[in-house]
Amino acid sequence: MDLKLKGKRALVTGSTRGIGRAIAGVLAVEGCSLAICARNADEVDTSIAELRKAGVRATGRALDVADEEALRRFVADVA
């Protein structure tokens, strides 16, 4: 499928497993650069490594999206 997202940037929360990981995977296949976050630092690091190994431009950070200030900093940093 071509969602015409090639070259776009996407931020996906909760993206190290389940639905969030699946969404990140689809966006990567569609050509997006990704910024991902989740609460577990090891899972974030593993997901970033897997995405990069597949040729995806990816970055991320461990954080709890309920921490509004941490989320604001993350969004600002990856924007």
Side-chain angles (χ1 to χ4, degrees):
M1 120 179 77
D2 183 4
L3 299 174
K4 305 211 184 317
L5 298 174
K6 187 173 178 124
K8 302 286 185 182
R9 296 182 294 168
L11 186 151
V12 184
T13 62
S15 52
T16 59
R17 52 190 155 134
I19 294 170
R21 182 68 173 104
I23 291 168
V26 168
L27 291 169
V29 167
E30 289 293 319
C32 288
S33 297
L34 295 175
I36 66 170
C37 66
R39 289 179 288 179
N40 184 292
D42 290 336
E43 290 178 4
V44 171
D45 292 342
T46 298
S47 294
I48 291 169
E50 290 171 354
L51 289 163
R52 287 180 177 168
K53 187 175 181 179
V56 177
R57 187 172 162 202
T59 189
R61 184 177 302 161
L63 66 93
D64 183 344
V65 296
D67 180 342
E68 192 173 325
E69 186 54 37
L71 181 58
R72 285 180 199 268
R73 281 192 309 269
F74 177 63
V75 171
D77 289 348
V78 300

